[in-house]
Amino acid sequence: MNFIFFSPHFPRNSADFCSHLQQQGATVLGIGDAEYDQLEDKLKSAMTEYYKVSSLENYDEILRAVGYFTHRYGKIDRFESLNEYWLEQDAAIRTDFNIYGTKTDFVYNLKQKSKMKEFFRKSGVSTVQFSTGTTRDSVDDFIRGTGFPLVVKPDLGSGASMTYKINNEAELQQFFDTKPDDVAFIIEEFIDGVILTYDGLVDIDGNVRFAVSHLFENSVMDVVNTDNHLYYFCLKEISPEVELAGKNILQAFDIRERFFHIELFKSNKDGRIIALEVNMRPPGAWMTDAINFSYDVDVYEEWARMIVHNEVGGPFEGKYYTGYASRKRHKPYVHSHEDIYRAFGDKIVHYAEIEEVFSRAMGNSAYQFRSADLGEVRDIVGYIQQVEEG
């Protein structure tokens, strides 16, 4: 199998995917904008060849790179970045070179939030009410039905960038007065609830081969907008309602041979599971590593086995709850890094500084830790993120 990995040097865990592809027998070919000498040794040893371009945004350069690899190695079997930002470009290359996977005619159903809603309806899973009105007057009927608060976000995009909670008429008017003209927004009802994810691997025949669930109790939107710290948990088990909703959504989208990351609300008001959005890529924010720590598995290896051989191990059993707790430089924390390790060193499985580009959502640094007891994991979050009063 000839596998082109686009941007293999960023984010950091791309090297793990490349390494396991190579171990499974794939010919791994990289296209990136970093100098070869700057790549880590694990990535260098995984790739048969690396093609440097001046800019990952320059489609003509990417076309030439893929053409070069095709001439040198034969037909390209897969082209992937596993990165939300590059999904459209991935699809365009697959379309131009007839490579297996999502093509240009479908990719916007996976990127554009308003288009996702039709597939959620097809799946039978409740979804968030929305409007794509572009003027203040055009959303009057919608607001009469939902009331405040509301959430506004770019219709096309990922993460919590330019995502805001609107609490009243004045804030709504300010949004319409100041929003950029070149960005299409979607307005949604505000759901008071927690986010539960359905994450895993679906094979080339559409079968879910591995799945897990994460719990977010604080909103990433609020974290970004208030420059706060983030925490979440990888759960030992998937609730039946999350699994049913997740599988129905995957079937509606007819997604195959991919990682999936589906975000669902669980309403605090009535307990309903409500579809928020889909991301057909590995879950971010260290969640792939959280999966490994919770299930004592190597999800990078399982993905590579599925891609190259259509095989996945198992059965998989969750053994731990894995927590993630970030810290921000501007916050006066009660406990030092040394205090945290003295108190919970036997539970901490990972600590690192965060790349600056991700720090607004993920923190400037973060800890991962695990325990068979969810209560203990919650206590560790509280200890790490306790700030001085006053």
Side-chain angles (χ1 to χ4, degrees):
M1 171 181 279
N2 292 324
F3 192 110
I4 294 180
F5 206 106
F6 187 71
S7 185
H9 56 293
F10 185 84
R12 290 173 184 166
N13 66 356
S14 297
D16 295 304
F17 291 113
C18 291
S19 178
H20 282 293
L21 281 171
Q22 189 263 343
Q23 290 171 30
Q24 294 298 321
T27 297
V28 182
L29 307 166
I31 299 175
D33 60 358
E35 295 293 341
Y36 183 77
D37 291 345
Q38 296 174 352
L39 305 179
E40 61 176 291
D41 290 340
K42 176 195 283 188
L43 182 55
K44 288 180 180 177
S45 62
M47 294 187 296
T48 298
E49 191 169 355
Y50 175 73
Y51 190 112
K52 181 189 176 298
V53 294
S54 63
S55 169
L56 297 179
E57 304 279 358
N58 189 324
Y59 193 71
D60 287 340
E61 279 195 281
I62 311 307
L63 280 174
R64 286 196 293 272
V66 178
Y68 165 79
F69 281 144
T70 301
H71 176 75
R72 187 170 173 86
Y73 297 97
K75 178 167 174 54
I76 303 303
D77 299 293
R78 299 292 186 273
F79 184 98
E80 291 282 0
S81 66
L82 301 184
N83 189 319
E84 186 82 16
Y85 184 82
W86 300 116
L87 285 186
E88 295 156 76
Q89 187 158 277
D90 290 353
I93 288 291
R94 293 191 204 105
T95 302
D96 286 342
F97 287 87
N98 193 28
I99 299 169
Y100 177 85
T102 302
K103 305 290 201 300
T104 298
D105 62 353
F106 193 77
V107 71
Y108 287 100
N109 296 318
L110 306 175
K111 287 276 292 182
Q112 202 165 332
K113 297 175 181 66
S114 58
K115 290 183 180 294
M116 294 178 191
K117 308 292 186 181
E118 290 302 317
F119 290 87
F120 292 147
R121 292 191 183 96
K122 181 180 174 183
S123 75
V125 180
S126 296
T127 188
V128 180
Q129 296 181 69
F130 76 102
S131 170
T132 55
T134 56
T135 65
R136 171 65 191 83
D137 293 341
S138 67
V139 298
D140 275 341
D141 289 343
F142 173 71
I143 294 170
R144 274 194 288 272
T146 61
F148 292 98
L150 302 166
V151 174
V152 296
K153 60 181 73 169
D155 193 12
L156 189 64
S158 60
S161 176
M162 290 193 289
T163 299
Y164 312 103
K165 184 179 178 182
I166 303 291
N167 295 292
N168 51 51
E169 283 281 354
E171 290 180 6
L172 183 65
Q173 188 61 53
Q174 182 184 24
F175 163 72
F176 276 106
D177 289 343
T178 60
K179 71 180 182 71
D181 292 333
D182 59 344
V183 179
F185 283 85
I186 185 171
I187 302 176
E188 296 180 333
E189 65 174 322
F190 176 80
I191 303 295
D192 177 25
V194 299
I195 287 181
L196 287 162
T197 71
Y198 186 60
D199 309 306
L201 300 169
V202 59
D203 70 14
I204 200 166
D205 300 310
N207 301 309
V208 175
R209 303 292 289 270
F210 179 46
V212 302
S213 184
H214 291 80
L215 169 64
F216 288 76
E217 294 175 327
N218 65 338
S219 159
V220 178
M221 173 184 68
D222 291 339
V223 167
V224 169
N225 289 334
T226 62
D227 202 11
N228 206 345
H229 42 218
L230 173 71
Y231 73 92
Y232 62 83
F233 309 108
C234 183
L235 305 177
K236 287 200 300 183
E237 291 144 356
I238 308 171
S239 71
E241 57 192 355
V242 165
E243 186 165 40
L244 177 61
K247 285 185 173 180
N248 286 343
I249 290 169
L250 285 173
Q251 188 173 20
F253 278 93
D254 193 27
I255 293 301
R256 296 166 185 261
E257 200 188 76
R258 294 200 69 79
F259 261 102
F260 56 85
H261 171 59
I262 300 172
E263 297 177 5
L264 308 159
F265 279 118
K266 182 167 186 176
S267 168
N268 288 333
K269 179 181 178 182
D270 54 21
R272 279 187 307 141
I273 296 295
I274 304 167
L276 176 58
E277 62 182 77
V278 299
N279 299 276
M280 294 308 165
R281 45 129 177 112
W286 293 11
M287 282 192 271
T288 45
D289 296 312
I291 293 167
N292 290 342
F293 293 132
S294 290
Y295 281 72
D296 275 343
V297 68
D298 188 333
V299 75
Y300 304 103
E301 179 183 358
E302 298 300 339
W303 170 81
R305 287 178 60 196
M306 183 183 76
I307 296 298
V308 179
H309 305 295
N310 197 27
E311 296 175 357
V312 179
F316 301 102
E317 180 183 357
K319 300 175 183 178
Y320 303 95
Y321 296 95
T322 297
Y324 176 99
S326 72
R327 306 236 291 191
K328 290 291 182 83
R329 292 191 195 104
H330 68 271
K331 286 188 174 288
Y333 291 102
V334 171
H335 306 291
S336 69
H337 179 70
E338 291 73 25
D339 292 338
I340 293 167
Y341 265 88
R342 273 194 294 269
F344 302 109
D346 60 328
K347 304 296 182 183
I348 295 172
V349 290
H350 185 53
Y351 167 82
E353 302 291 317
I354 307 295
E355 296 105 317
E356 200 62 35
V357 68
F358 298 131
S359 63
R360 187 80 180 185
M362 289 180 58
N364 299 116
S365 62
Y367 300 82
Q368 279 183 307
F369 36 91
R370 67 181 184 179
S371 170
D373 177 13
L374 181 57
E376 183 174 24
V377 174
R378 288 187 186 279
D379 290 343
I380 297 172
V381 171
Y383 188 90
I384 289 170
Q385 295 186 335
Q386 185 179 358
V387 296
E388 296 174 0
E389 295 184 8

